[in-house]
Amino acid sequence: MRTANQKNNFSSGQIDRDVKGRVDLPLYQYGHELSRNFFHTIKGDCFYRSGFEFLDEIGFSALYEFKFNQDQSYLLIFKIEYIEFWSYNTQGELVRVLNDEGNELTLQHPWGTEIFNLCMTQNCDVMYITHKNGEYPEYQLKRTASNKFTLEKTTFTNSGSASLANDSATTNHGFPLSCAFYENRLQRCSSSKFPTYLYGSKGGNYNDITTGENKNDGYQFDLAEANSKALWLISGPNSLLIGTAEGILTVNGGSVSTPITPTDISAKLSCRVPVSNVKPIIVDGYTFFVSADNRQVYLFEYDVLLEQFKPTNLSKGNYEISKGGIQKLAYKFDRFGLIFAKCNDKLLSVCFSNDEVVNSWSEFNTQGEFVDICSVTRPDGEYDLFANIKRVVNGIERYYLERLTKIVEFSRLEDFISEIPEGTSKSEIEEIKQNDKYAFYRQIAEELRDCNYLDCSMRYSGLQNIDIVYNPENSTITANQEIFGSDDVERRIWYKSITGREYGIFDIVEIINSKQVRVKTQLQPSSNFASQWYLSATVFHGLEHLEGETVSVVGNGGYIGDFKVTNGTVDISSANVNKVGSAVIGLKYKGILKSPNLGMIYQGGETYTSMKSVYKIGLILSFSAGGKVGDNLYDMQHIQDFNPEGLFDVPPLPIDDLAEINLSSNFDKTKNYFVVQDSPLPFHIASIIPHFKQVPRV
């Protein structure tokens, strides 16, 4: 008997192996036993994750965001002795912030190697910083101009019972361990001497903690029910949330609708899940926190119907993936809306949607260790995810600042369909259709150049924004600026296809002068004029950060091959490929999906425990190139041979349809499918259809 079971929902991500017997659960049906370097979306599909681009070598350091407003955010790099400042320029590029003298802005700090144990909360241009163990005073990092910051100790104003201070006096309550803004007050908690105390500042005066009975006065409150110090504070949607070893306290004026005052304050242990000191994040009004064992992520929310707070364990079926412990959470706002968790030396992605009942985990790994992560708001409103990654390069440990690149959105064929005038002949219609198809292919070729599926990567772009004119009578190209040199003989010129309708390819055979070259025409141009065009290269520089390593090269959107970095350069001239006008060079990583045991409920019976073989696998793909599929990792079949030798005028088009691959498979009771992407190319899966033969039961 032959059967097929279409899987078009992967929204459970990587599930635990001890779920393999629960074929009745949606968790089993929508999950994979292994999901590595793929991520899943609320729509149920999955993407091969994009690469991390190299930005700078930063050494042992921690990453934090300073968000001044929607238009200006900073990436703070806390090194052992000082802070580096990065921000976005007017072109949206992340660059080092320069002071008025034109030097890179830095600021000395006191925390030394304790840079990962800081608690931060921010109000506009002031960030308050405490130490999680209370070993350092509270500091304020102040933005005084777009390129000026100061760091100074908080000077408290206090009297009455409250007695926080920032000196070494033995009579005060010590240094605060955690802080958060809530209801126009700065809330501080767990002083180093009174670990269960909550200190509220005066309203609008965050350094004044003078206590009193007026509504605007400061207050001091003993969180006796916690029975342990506060590990973190966070401003929840309707209460101040305080995480402790006993669970989560909700602090308000007696109800979620009553504000806190010195005479109206209530702290209730609303969640008895012990928490870790990992700072929670709030996404779409939900609070996500990490349990005390650092293995589980919980959702904490207020149920309006039940009128109570409740926790939800998001790791019930995904516990194994957090082996090593979660140390930090970050949220990346974009079309995917993923939560990221730094877990030991790897990175986890979590796709969550309460409305869509989606809770999908997957693992990102790389040739190195994730040391820290941080999301920073871009001027366009989306977030960048940055990582400090420790890599061993040429035998030496080095720490690199890298950024997760975007997934490219490809154009639609329908946008390239031309209007057919009445009276057009069939032959003319066929020519129009052919021109439309090639225009679409050229646009996809341009978009493939923007893809990045390599880690620790850098780009080469030979794109020139200089006007050139082609003279077909004497086979010359003339530029309106000095651009050509003696080394440019045998280099190639491509017209950039801006709308898909522009094309033209030439090889330089002679340098006439710095503005003019003689060329051999490889593809007759669509026009004798171009304002944007590529100049090819076969040697790429600036790779000192990967000296001695073997790197992969993607040129013109196609995978060229692997090469060794020597003296900071890579030479691809030995490869049997066309010259490239743009390239991405970096470290490869492998994406793997492994299904649970295949089977289905069929005519009152089941096929999960019967003898079966997988003879064919279908995949519904969206603009995917490369890839392999099989029922074991030792015998994988190529889905598409994306040959870079075809990258001349238009590349092979990525698959945007159903692909079916025949397999040679033996019979067994346990059968899985594997999908592997080990080429640095886009891969987007909408559905997987395993076809298997079943031995009839006797």
Side-chain angles (χ1 to χ4, degrees):
M1 181 180 70
R2 295 176 181 244
T3 59
N5 184 14
Q6 183 171 3
K7 301 177 75 70
N8 56 8
N9 187 342
F10 313 117
S11 58
S12 293
Q14 179 170 316
I15 60 177
D16 293 339
R17 286 170 289 183
D18 55 14
V19 185
K20 63 175 61 178
R22 295 301 309 273
V23 300
D24 57 314
L25 293 177
L27 184 70
Y28 183 100
Q29 297 298 329
Y30 303 152
H32 282 92
E33 283 192 14
L34 185 65
S35 176
R36 185 170 296 164
N37 287 322
F38 280 91
F39 68 87
H40 312 267
T41 81
I42 61 173
K43 294 176 287 187
D45 53 349
C46 64
F47 286 79
Y48 182 51
R49 67 122 169 139
S50 55
F52 281 88
E53 62 177 330
F54 171 80
L55 297 175
D56 197 10
E57 184 169 4
I58 58 174
F60 181 79
S61 53
L63 309 179
Y64 299 96
E65 180 188 25
F66 186 104
K67 184 176 180 180
F68 174 61
N69 56 31
Q70 183 64 46
D71 298 321
Q72 189 165 41
S73 294
Y74 298 82
L75 172 65
L76 307 181
I77 301 178
F78 277 66
K79 298 191 174 184
I80 293 177
E81 296 180 347
Y82 59 90
I83 308 170
E84 284 185 0
F85 296 81
W86 295 65
S87 191
Y88 299 93
N89 61 19
T90 54
Q91 288 76 42
E93 302 166 331
L94 187 80
V95 295
R96 287 289 302 272
V97 177
L98 304 181
N99 59 25
D100 289 341
E101 290 73 38
N103 300 319
E104 294 175 343
L105 178 64
T106 61
L107 201 60
Q108 295 291 315
H109 72 73
W111 295 287
T113 58
E114 290 292 302
I115 49 180
F116 292 95
N117 290 321
L118 304 180
C119 173
M120 301 178 177
T121 190
Q122 188 177 345
N123 180 267
C124 294
D125 54 359
V126 181
M127 174 183 281
Y128 288 80
I129 306 174
T130 61
H131 185 263
K132 291 181 179 180
N133 298 324
E135 298 172 6
Y136 292 83
E138 177 183 288
Y139 278 81
Q140 296 177 44
L141 179 64
K142 296 182 179 180
R143 176 190 179 276
T144 59
S146 61
N147 64 342
K148 292 181 181 179
F149 284 79
T150 62
L151 183 66
E152 58 189 34
K153 292 181 184 179
T154 299
T155 301
F156 289 110
T157 301
N158 64 74
S159 62
S161 59
S163 187
L164 283 176
N166 261 348
D167 54 40
S168 59
T170 58
T171 57
N172 61 62
H173 287 204
F175 307 138
L177 278 64
S178 50
C179 55
F181 283 99
Y182 183 69
E183 292 184 340
N184 198 33
R185 302 177 188 264
L186 181 55
Q187 315 283 346
R188 299 172 173 91
C189 210
S190 290
S191 71
S192 50
K193 295 183 181 179
F194 292 83
T196 63
Y197 278 18
L198 171 67
Y199 305 87
S201 75
K202 282 194 169 187
N205 193 345
Y206 309 126
N207 299 345
D208 190 341
I209 55 174
T210 301
T211 60
E213 296 185 358
N214 294 322
K215 289 185 178 181
N216 201 47
D217 285 339
Y219 51 81
Q220 176 184 313
F221 186 73
D222 190 354
L223 305 167
E225 192 173 356
N227 197 31
S228 60
K229 71 177 183 180
L231 298 171
W232 45 257
L233 278 72
I234 193 167
S235 176
N238 45 28
S239 291
L240 176 67
L241 306 181
I242 303 179
T244 75
E246 301 294 325
I248 297 180
L249 290 165
T250 53
V251 183
N252 49 51
S255 71
V256 295
S257 59
T258 306
I260 299 172
T261 69
T263 56
D264 296 307
I265 182 168
S266 171
K268 182 179 179 180
L269 190 61
S270 300
C271 165
R272 294 189 178 273
V273 177
V275 309
S276 75
N277 66 357
V278 175
K279 185 176 181 179
I281 59 173
I282 295 180
V283 180
D284 295 335
Y286 300 112
T287 301
F288 297 84
F289 71 92
V290 179
S291 61
D293 61 359
N294 290 95
R295 294 294 303 273
Q296 302 170 81
V297 173
Y298 280 77
L299 165 70
F300 189 64
E301 61 178 323
Y302 181 74
D303 192 311
V304 178
L305 297 178
L306 298 177
E307 294 186 343
Q308 65 183 26
F309 290 90
K310 64 176 184 179
T312 302
N313 189 345
L314 303 184
S315 302
K316 283 183 178 179
N318 317 88
Y319 182 81
E320 289 182 355
I321 200 170
S322 64
K323 185 177 181 180
I326 295 171
Q327 293 94 35
K328 191 172 184 180
L329 299 176
Y331 173 63
K332 187 178 188 301
F333 176 77
D334 57 14
R335 64 180 172 129
F336 301 114
L338 298 179
I339 296 170
F340 289 92
K342 190 264 175 185
C343 181
N344 200 13
D345 60 355
K346 59 181 184 268
L347 188 64
L348 307 181
S349 72
V350 186
C351 178
F352 174 81
S353 171
N354 213 18
D355 296 335
E356 302 293 336
V357 196
V358 172
N359 176 35
S360 173
W361 292 71
S362 55
E363 173 189 327
F364 291 8
N365 60 19
T366 186
Q367 296 182 40
E369 301 176 13
F370 287 91
V371 176
D372 199 11
I373 58 172
C374 178
S375 61
V376 177
T377 309
R378 294 177 49 85
D380 60 11
E382 292 192 357
Y383 291 10
D384 275 333
L385 182 75
F386 297 95
N388 184 356
I389 303 178
K390 182 173 74 173
R391 302 189 184 276
V392 178
V393 179
N394 214 14
I396 301 172
E397 285 188 357
R398 304 173 75 172
Y399 294 82
Y400 292 151
L401 176 65
E402 302 183 33
R403 173 171 52 188
L404 185 65
T405 59
K406 285 187 175 184
I407 299 287
V408 170
E409 299 179 63
F410 289 98
S411 298
R412 293 178 177 271
L413 174 61
E414 291 77 10
D415 295 331
F416 292 81
I417 303 299
S418 299
E419 294 289 338
I420 305 296
E422 291 187 12
T424 306
S425 67
K426 288 185 177 180
S427 61
E428 290 173 331
I429 292 174
E430 288 303 313
E431 183 178 355
I432 292 172
K433 289 170 62 176
Q434 187 78 350
N435 290 336
D436 289 346
K437 182 177 73 171
Y438 278 123
F440 174 61
Y441 279 22
R442 292 189 193 96
Q443 187 62 35
I444 296 301
E446 289 292 341
E447 292 164 355
L448 283 169
R449 293 179 186 267
D450 293 332
C451 294
N452 186 341
Y453 292 90
L454 291 169
D455 284 347
C456 202
S457 57
M458 61 153 285
R459 286 184 178 272
Y460 162 77
S461 176
L463 183 62
Q464 311 295 324
N465 294 298
I466 296 173
D467 293 347
I468 56 174
V469 176
Y470 169 62
N471 186 337
E473 295 183 1
N474 56 15
S475 298
T476 61
I477 285 180
T478 304
N480 66 349
Q481 298 179 32
E482 294 184 352
I483 182 65
F484 300 112
S486 58
D487 295 335
D488 291 338
V489 173
E490 297 185 356
R491 296 180 78 177
R492 179 163 291 168
I493 293 173
W494 290 267
Y495 284 4
K496 176 179 172 63
S497 193
I498 300 169
T499 66
R501 308 289 177 175
E502 302 83 11
Y503 53 86
I505 302 177
F506 314 88
D507 283 341
I508 299 174
V509 296
E510 179 187 352
I511 307 298
I512 299 173
N513 56 54
S514 59
K515 290 186 177 182
Q516 190 175 62
V517 294
R518 199 173 310 280
V519 296
K520 179 180 179 181
T521 304
Q522 300 289 353
L523 176 68
Q524 289 294 335
S526 56
S527 168
N528 291 337
F529 170 82
S531 58
Q532 290 184 294
W533 48 282
Y534 295 97
L535 187 61
S536 75
T538 54
V539 178
F540 308 109
H541 305 279
L543 290 157
E544 288 80 7
H545 65 288
L546 289 173
E547 181 64 35
E549 297 299 308
T550 297
V551 297
S552 299
V553 178
V554 174
N556 294 356
Y559 177 36
I560 304 297
D562 299 335
F563 306 86
K564 188 173 182 178
V565 179
T566 304
N567 296 324
T569 64
V570 163
D571 188 343
I572 67 168
S573 56
S574 61
N576 184 27
V577 296
N578 291 307
K579 304 164 186 176
V580 299
S582 63
V584 180
I585 307 105
L587 302 173
K588 272 201 298 188
Y589 49 90
K590 181 185 289 187
I592 303 177
L593 293 175
K594 177 189 177 184
S595 73
N597 181 31
L598 296 171
M600 59 190 300
I601 306 299
Y602 185 76
Q603 294 182 348
E606 52 84 17
T607 62
Y608 292 99
T609 58
S610 62
M611 295 290 288
K612 52 188 171 288
S613 70
V614 181
Y615 68 91
K616 181 170 66 175
I617 293 181
L619 298 99
I620 298 179
L621 302 173
S622 177
F623 286 99
S624 300
K628 299 174 183 176
V629 68
D631 67 346
N632 70 85
L633 291 173
Y634 295 100
D635 185 20
M636 303 292 290
Q637 304 299 315
H638 287 276
I639 298 171
Q640 182 189 32
D641 184 13
F642 203 76
N643 190 343
E645 292 185 12
L647 298 174
F648 183 68
D649 178 20
V650 291
L653 192 67
I655 299 174
D656 191 34
D657 203 346
L658 171 67
E660 293 187 316
I661 298 90
N662 294 320
L663 304 179
S664 176
S665 172
N666 61 334
F667 282 87
D668 206 335
K669 290 185 177 180
T670 301
K671 278 293 176 182
N672 314 86
Y673 66 72
F674 291 84
V675 178
V676 169
Q677 174 64 311
D678 54 7
S679 297
L681 300 168
F683 205 79
H684 175 193
I685 307 172
S687 180
I688 300 177
I689 309 104
H691 300 253
F692 46 92
K693 306 176 195 174
Q694 179 187 353
V695 175
R697 293 181 182 271
V698 178

